[in-house]
Amino acid sequence: MRIRSRLPVLDAHHQLGEPSRVTDAYELARSVFRRELGTDPEPCLGRLHRRSTAE
């Protein structure tokens, strides 16, 4: 659940030009955070997700 373990995954898919994989990784992180912590992931994950899917 650590943010440091999720961000590199999203960033790698972003750098490789794989927006659908960024979305998949973000949705997985979001579901884990919501289920385990009752909250959304850190805003930096959401920003990277939005940036990747907007391009």
Side-chain angles (χ1 to χ4, degrees), residues 1-3 5-14 18-33 41-42 45-46 48-50 52-53:
M1 287 189 316
R2 291 183 162 201
I3 189 74
S5 67
R6 305 284 178 169
L7 190 56
V9 173
L10 268 69
D11 191 46
H13 289 304
H14 172 73
E18 302 173 334
S20 65
R21 290 197 171 222
V22 173
T23 297
D24 292 344
Y26 176 75
E27 291 299 328
L28 176 61
R30 195 166 103 180
S31 69
V32 169
F33 272 74
E42 295 288 325
L45 286 181
L48 181 56
H49 175 248
R50 285 188 302 277
S52 296
T53 57

